[in-house]
Amino acid sequence: MLKALSCIAAIASLACAAGGRSVSQPPPILTLGYRHASIPAAISAIRAIGQNTSLFTPTFSEDESLFTSQQLEPFKAIVFLSNSEEVLTQDGQEAFKEWLTKGGSLVGLHAGTACLFNDTAFGTAMGSWFDYHPDISNATFLKVMDHETIDMLPDRYTTYEEVHHFRSDPRDVNCTVLLTYDPDSFSDPMRGTRPYYQGSPPPSAWYREGQTVDLTNGTAGLSPATMTGRTWFTSLGHEIETWSNPTHLAHVEAGLRWALAEFNADSTSSTSSSSSPSSSTYSTSGASSSSAPSAPSTSPSGSSAGSNGAVATMGSLAGSGGTAALALLLAALLAI
Ligand SMILES: *[C@@H]1O[C@H](CO)[C@@H](O)[C@H](O)[C@H]1NC(C)=O
Ligand SMILES: *[C@@H]1O[C@H](CO)[C@@H](O)[C@H](O)[C@H]1NC(C)=O
Ligand SMILES: *[C@@H]1O[C@H](CO)[C@@H](O)[C@H](O)[C@H]1NC(C)=O
Ligand SMILES: *[C@@H]1O[C@H](CO)[C@@H](O)[C@H](O)[C@H]1NC(C)=O
Ligand SMILES: *[C@@H]1O[C@H](CO)[C@@H](O)[C@H](O)[C@H]1NC(C)=O
């Protein structure tokens, strides 16, 4: 099996030190999946957001061996940035799932759903998996609701971007869709030819807030494998230029701020719920569940680490003073 053990050069000292690995001569990145040219630009932008806002201290890594329970423990949020294919080993997937049950929040940027297609816990936590996109073009994205993470976008946001299609409806696992698109604003020869149903209107960004979701099947969870942290995903961000577009940067900054809000002593958990319509408003109940992807469960037994106590611990760590920057892991993992 090919392994991508490199760290991005700019952050090698930090990320690789954690793994106890020498950084003097990073091995070449061997990737089976598509590597987005915009990853370095996105990393620079998110680093700048962290500095400008003092919201978080990011660690950037392409090293899947970082995904152990011990090494993930300090991170309040993990960002999947344009990942490709099977980026974690089975052990890594287990460690990630355990981390989610302890209250961690998850952010997906652009192709952050284009990986771990066989990992039900990943897809449930993130909301769905990437399916395909038509050729990049000017496309118009539309707000489905009011939310602080899309308030900076115009109601009709036309931008040079890939329109991503997904393998299931994130509303099936209790996500609320933020953005959709105008299907007449771009050409999509594959439309209607895929075996997946992503719900209506089709999702381009979504969130799920502070509620329990069973990582084994997306239902309201009471099992040990329950995610309680927040999920925020936007499919925008393909182009290098996008990562210097102030509108996009404000969108991503708001998403990161929102995903980390539960760890911020100054914020309450009511940031958006009052203005949010019920996700059932856009639900397409019935029609979708039968065509949802059927990734085999990767861990029948799950982890037993999740508890409200663990969640409280993560929150209180960050809550002391409200100024402490939170640890955020930006994982631009590629196929291993
Ligand atoms: C960070 O702040 C600097 C100085 O105000 C600004 O020029 C830059 O655009 C900001 N970057 C981001 C990503 O917010
Ligand atoms: C994912 O599952 C499919 C269908 O069971 C299988 O063909 C494929 O080899 C699996 N991929 C990995 C990386 O496990
Ligand atoms: C996309 O829109 C911009 C702004 O209107 C325009 O300059 C550009 O040529 C368009 N690109 C394509 C590929 O249509
Ligand atoms: C979805 O979230 C609502 C609260 O927003 C909660 O009452 C419900 O149990 C959740 N359902 C699932 C399937 O997680
Ligand atoms: C989801 O999985 C949990 C165990 O993790 C189980 O108790 C529950 O019945 C399942 N729900 C459905 C609808 O399959």
Side-chain angles (χ1 to χ4, degrees), residues 268-332:
T268 67
S269 60
S270 63
T271 43
S272 61
S273 52
S274 57
S275 62
S276 305
S278 154
S279 59
S280 64
T281 305
Y282 304 101
S283 155
T284 51
S285 53
S288 50
S289 30
S290 59
S291 53
S294 52
S297 175
T298 52
S299 69
S301 56
S303 108
S304 58
S307 74
N308 289 334
V311 175
T313 301
M314 294 188 79
S316 63
L317 272 178
S320 52
T323 51
L326 305 177
L328 174 140
L329 172 59
L330 181 79

Side-chain angles (χ1 to χ4, degrees), residues 5 21 29-30 46 49 54 70 73 86 94 106 142 162 164 166 177 195 207 220 223 245 261 267 303 307:
L5 294 176
R21 207 167 265 132
I29 292 169
L30 303 172
I46 292 169
I49 290 170
S54 303
Q70 194 185 7
E73 204 272 334
E86 298 305 309
E94 286 300 320
L106 184 60
L142 309 171
E162 288 176 349
H164 283 192
F166 299 91
V177 172
Y207 73 87
S223 78
N245 172 344
S267 84
S303 108
S307 74

